[in-house]
Amino acid sequence: STNHVTLKIDDFQLHASTDETATVLGAHRGRLNIQAGLYDDDLYDGAWCAGRNDPLQWLEVDARRLTKFTGVITQGRSSLWSSDWVTSYKVLVSNDSHTWVTLKNGSQDLIFIGNKEKEIPVLNMFPVAVVARYIRVNPRSWFNRGSICMRVEILGCPIRNEITTTDNLDFKHHSYKEMRHLMKVVNEKCPNITRIYNIGKSHSGQKLYAIEISDNPGEHERGEPEFRYTAGSHGNEVLGRELLLLLMQFMCQEYLSGSPRIRHLVHETRIHLLPSVNPDGYDKALEVGSELSGWSLGRWSQDGVDIHHNFPDLNSILWEAETKKWIPRKMLNHHVPIPEWYQSKNSTVAAETRALVSWMEKIPFVLGGNLQGGELVVTFPYDRTRSQGVSREQTPTPDDHVFRWLAFSYASTHRLMTDARRRVCHTEDFAKEDGTINGASWHTAAGSMNDFSYLHTNCFELSMYVGCDKFPHESELAEEWENNRESLLVFMEQVHRGIKGMVWDMQGRGIANAIIQVEGIGHDIRTAADGDYWRLLNPGEYSITVRAEGYSASSKVCEVGYDIGATRCDFTVSRTNLSRIKEIMERYNKQPIRQPLRLPVRQLQARRPGPRHRRVRTS
């Protein structure tokens, strides 16, 4: 049993659609056998009570891990003066709290018979046990002289292994040679959906290997978004490296076993995993091991650079342009150019950073996560405070609501990040903030990978701090995999939220570098080389405008729903008259078209010279 009354399920794991009064009749009061106060002035009744009486209300339990649910026990409201109970209800389950499935009897939704009065518990066992992480009770009818109020006990057993794999995974720390071998094994096992490539070399010459997982490796396909996970920019934060090695094994095995979820991800997404950005730093940490590597040994590249914060400071360039009102006429609010000094050979830029910049510019990534360690929190841009000299300050991007959702999608499905019972890693309790935080409000950092990705490319990038221990023991890797596995998958699936589509010309050719503007959000994106685009957005209705050089602007309203799957929103744009004229002039070597000058007859007569008069000399 989930055993609410003994507090094995904490208050923060209980949620409700609405409540009559959050502190008095909130979800946390919906525990079986919880009692009301004895006196009229006692604020606390025994029940969760909905804020409205309609069939859209629900009480939800987050079991924190996959659980085999078997039944529900319900009561009415414990109260000296009120008579409230639910007479029938449905039960829904979910693995990610976004997509819900209603328990059914054949093809019909299953309706459970509830209470006939408020105190006697009523047990309903499910026809078949169901495995999920989240469960909701959805009242369908209630005592006709009362309101929606109930106390609930959920019956079930937690499943230690959240996702059953077809083969055992390799739970160990991998040296550089072992990492390459494991990636090769995955590639040989799943040759049709994987490709190994390298994006460059480290300072000491080690290749930075990535693996691509897609149904057509090596090819960017129209309409298929590009996703990336990177790990190990700080070489001593090794958990992310191992998680990505486990993830590529897992996805290969699950694909071969026919998992619908993994097959859908692979067929609809081009996934890139780069498990070790800083192999030189990793070697230093690995040499002395988990205990002796300390907090910083191996953090930096071989030449002493913090790779994650080694990107150009584009924030200052953008904010100065905004102050001078250069946007959008002199400068755009996206694709902020890299300054010349950064690209010079004498600048202090690590070889690994240059490789990352080139990789990020080459592939039109839509969403990315970089895995780090030493904390349990997800951070999102901006990572730099806008006010100079301020070390902590909320500094939101124009896409703050989207970033907060993306961060929450990872943190909320992690087994520990939002667990209020866990001890804090160090001093800050991020669980109080739903396991997420704006980077600049934690500690400011110029030139971060997240800010660069957002300001220079189309990619929304976040940092996942996946464990308190930067270098966990091998014996702890299996548990850390369980902590992060569902989060890694759910976050990948978020690349399919928002809108996507094509920008065509009148002949049906895709237009590259067309600008996609969302009204009310001061950050644009561009189409890829084939004219396709993806724009991450939260559910809602948006006015979208497309602009491309030489073409007339085009606008339409596009609606984003709650279900995963981006809304298709295509545009066909026509050439402007000016661009047609320029095209004709270029065809004739930029010379204007010469034609005989033909003037009206009257003008010709007016211009024709008259007879000259001679002077007659008389003597």
Side-chain angles (χ1 to χ4, degrees):
S1 166
T2 55
N3 216 343
H4 284 191
V5 78
T6 59
L7 298 181
K8 285 190 178 179
I9 295 293
D10 275 350
D11 285 354
F12 78 94
Q13 292 173 257
L14 303 175
H15 307 280
S17 50
T18 59
D19 47 61
E20 192 172 307
T21 48
T23 57
V24 180
L25 295 163
H28 65 294
R29 298 295 293 172
R31 301 173 182 275
L32 199 73
N33 293 320
I34 200 167
Q35 298 299 300
L38 295 175
Y39 305 103
D40 286 351
D41 60 351
D42 192 311
L43 289 174
Y44 295 96
D45 261 9
W48 158 67
C49 290
R52 299 188 302 272
N53 289 324
D54 63 48
L56 300 177
Q57 305 307 307
W58 46 259
L59 177 65
E60 175 185 316
V61 179
D62 174 5
R64 303 300 302 159
R65 66 178 73 177
L66 285 188
T67 300
K68 183 184 287 187
F69 294 116
T70 56
V72 174
I73 304 172
T74 61
Q75 288 171 309
R77 175 179 180 176
S78 173
S79 172
L80 296 175
W81 52 84
S82 299
S83 295
D84 305 293
W85 59 85
V86 169
T87 57
S88 69
Y89 58 91
K90 293 181 181 180
V91 174
L92 300 85
V93 292
S94 172
N95 284 329
D96 59 8
S97 80
H98 312 305
T99 303
W100 291 88
V101 176
T102 304
L103 269 58
K104 294 185 179 294
N105 181 10
S107 61
Q108 300 295 315
D109 289 353
L110 197 55
I111 304 291
F112 294 94
I113 303 302
N115 301 88
K116 296 181 179 178
E117 52 81 67
K118 57 190 179 185
E119 285 299 335
I120 300 174
V122 173
L123 166 65
N124 277 297
M125 298 299 291
F126 302 155
V128 178
V130 58
V131 175
R133 171 175 166 173
Y134 301 87
I135 187 166
R136 279 181 180 177
V137 176
N138 165 220
R140 305 301 295 177
S141 61
W142 44 95
F143 178 49
N144 58 12
R145 293 198 296 276
S147 301
I148 296 178
C149 293
M150 65 191 312
R151 291 173 285 170
V152 176
E153 175 89 353
I154 305 293
L155 305 179
C157 300
I159 296 175
R160 184 64 177 167
N161 295 316
E162 296 180 22
I163 300 174
T164 303
T165 57
T166 55
D167 294 305
N168 292 327
L169 302 180
D170 194 10
F171 293 109
K172 60 168 284 183
H173 289 298
H174 294 80
S175 68
Y176 181 77
K177 184 177 179 180
E178 291 168 334
M179 179 187 75
R180 283 190 310 167
H181 176 70
L182 188 146
M183 293 174 78
K184 186 179 178 184
V185 168
V186 171
N187 177 235
E188 289 173 350
K189 192 171 183 178
C190 291
N192 295 331
I193 62 164
T194 61
R195 174 180 72 102
I196 298 172
Y197 64 102
N198 76 80
I199 70 165
K201 293 182 179 180
S202 71
H203 184 270
S204 67
Q206 298 190 89
K207 291 180 180 178
L208 307 179
Y209 285 107
I211 193 165
E212 175 195 337
I213 305 175
S214 73
D215 60 346
N216 190 15
E219 295 291 330
H220 170 75
E221 295 183 76
R222 280 182 176 177
E224 189 173 272
E226 308 264 1
F227 176 91
R228 69 167 178 255
Y229 271 131
T230 60
S233 58
H234 297 148
N236 63 328
E237 295 169 11
V238 306
L239 179 54
R241 172 188 178 119
E242 298 307 330
L243 287 175
L244 293 191
L245 294 176
L246 290 165
L247 181 62
M248 62 182 72
Q249 296 173 67
F250 173 78
M251 292 191 72
C252 171
Q253 292 181 10
E254 289 291 290
Y255 187 89
L256 293 178
S257 70
S259 163
R261 184 184 193 184
I262 299 304
R263 281 184 166 265
H264 184 266
L265 254 177
V266 171
H267 291 162
E268 300 297 324
T269 322
R270 192 175 177 216
I271 299 160
H272 303 257
L273 307 179
L274 179 64
S276 188
V277 171
N278 182 5
D280 299 351
Y282 176 83
D283 288 347
K284 288 183 180 178
L286 183 66
E287 188 177 353
V288 297
S290 178
E291 268 81 22
L292 300 178
S293 60
W295 190 250
S296 58
L297 180 64
R299 175 185 177 90
W300 297 282
S301 67
Q302 188 70 28
D303 52 345
V305 175
D306 184 335
I307 295 169
H308 186 71
H309 300 294
N310 189 220
F311 291 81
D313 174 16
L314 304 184
N315 303 59
S316 298
I317 296 172
L318 175 75
W319 293 337
E320 183 182 3
E322 288 178 351
T323 302
K324 293 181 177 179
K325 300 188 185 317
W326 285 353
I327 295 174
R329 296 184 182 279
K330 287 189 178 181
M331 201 177 98
L332 299 173
N333 62 18
H334 67 296
H335 280 243
V336 178
I338 298 174
E340 287 185 16
W341 65 263
Y342 183 87
Q343 301 182 66
S344 70
K345 291 184 178 179
N346 296 328
S347 61
T348 310
V349 182
E352 296 87 346
T353 315
R354 292 190 190 278
L356 283 170
V357 169
S358 175
W359 186 48
M360 293 158 75
E361 289 182 326
K362 182 179 179 181
I363 298 175
F365 292 112
V366 179
L367 180 62
N370 55 82
L371 307 186
Q372 304 195 47
E375 259 301 349
L376 274 170
V377 69
V378 180
T379 71
F380 51 91
Y382 290 122
D383 285 342
R384 180 172 185 185
T385 57
R386 186 158 186 163
S387 303
Q388 291 186 351
V390 178
S391 60
R392 293 188 178 198
E393 177 184 64
Q394 282 280 347
T395 312
T397 66
D399 283 289
D400 191 55
H401 291 297
V402 177
F403 272 117
R404 287 181 182 276
W405 167 256
L406 293 170
F408 184 70
S409 73
Y410 194 98
S412 65
T413 46
H414 189 281
R415 284 180 58 203
L416 295 176
M417 277 190 190
T418 56
D419 189 343
R421 294 170 299 179
R422 71 170 178 85
R423 68 169 181 85
V424 298
C425 291
H426 303 288
T427 58
E428 299 190 56
D429 188 359
F430 294 111
K432 291 180 179 177
E433 305 294 329
D434 291 326
T436 69
I437 194 168
N438 170 248
S441 68
W442 183 18
H443 51 69
T444 190
S448 83
M449 182 175 176
N450 294 347
D451 290 2
F452 172 83
S453 180
Y454 180 67
L455 293 175
H456 185 66
T457 73
N458 286 345
C459 185
F460 287 53
E461 183 94 16
L462 295 84
S463 293
M464 291 78 180
Y465 292 79
V466 291
C468 296
D469 191 350
K470 290 186 175 185
F471 203 135
H473 285 287
E474 279 192 357
S475 62
E476 296 169 325
L477 290 177
E479 184 176 356
E480 293 292 1
W481 167 241
E482 287 189 4
N483 289 341
N484 287 277
R485 175 172 48 209
E486 182 65 16
S487 300
L488 290 165
L489 297 175
V490 166
F491 186 74
M492 271 196 282
E493 290 167 340
Q494 304 315 305
V495 77
H496 295 284
R497 289 197 178 273
I499 60 173
K500 69 176 182 180
M502 288 291 304
V503 178
W504 318 90
D505 64 13
M506 299 301 286
Q507 284 71 46
R509 296 171 297 201
I511 301 173
N513 289 318
I515 295 173
I516 312 295
Q517 296 177 320
V518 183
E519 185 178 336
I521 301 179
H523 180 81
D524 306 331
I525 62 152
R526 295 188 186 190
T527 55
D530 293 335
D532 46 348
Y533 77 90
W534 305 263
R535 200 349 170 153
L536 296 177
L537 292 166
N538 285 348
E541 201 172 76
Y542 298 91
S543 176
I544 312 295
T545 300
V546 168
R547 301 180 190 279
E549 188 175 351
Y551 295 85
S552 299
S554 177
S555 299
K556 67 169 64 172
V557 172
C558 304
E559 187 172 347
V560 178
Y562 284 87
D563 294 335
I564 284 208
T567 301
R568 188 79 194 223
C569 198
D570 296 328
F571 292 83
T572 301
V573 292
S574 58
R575 299 291 296 271
T576 61
N577 289 334
L578 181 60
S579 69
R580 289 188 187 128
I581 292 169
K582 285 181 178 177
E583 187 180 319
I584 292 169
M585 290 180 72
E586 286 173 5
R587 194 177 298 169
Y588 290 93
N589 297 321
K590 296 189 177 178
Q591 295 295 320
I593 300 167
R594 296 184 180 277
Q595 290 183 338
L597 187 64
R598 294 178 180 174
L599 294 174
V601 176
R602 289 182 182 177
Q603 279 187 276
L604 287 170
Q605 289 175 344
R607 290 191 177 192
R608 188 176 295 134
R612 289 187 177 182
H613 297 279
R614 288 185 178 181
R615 282 186 179 180
V616 178
R617 182 178 291 177
T618 56
S619 55

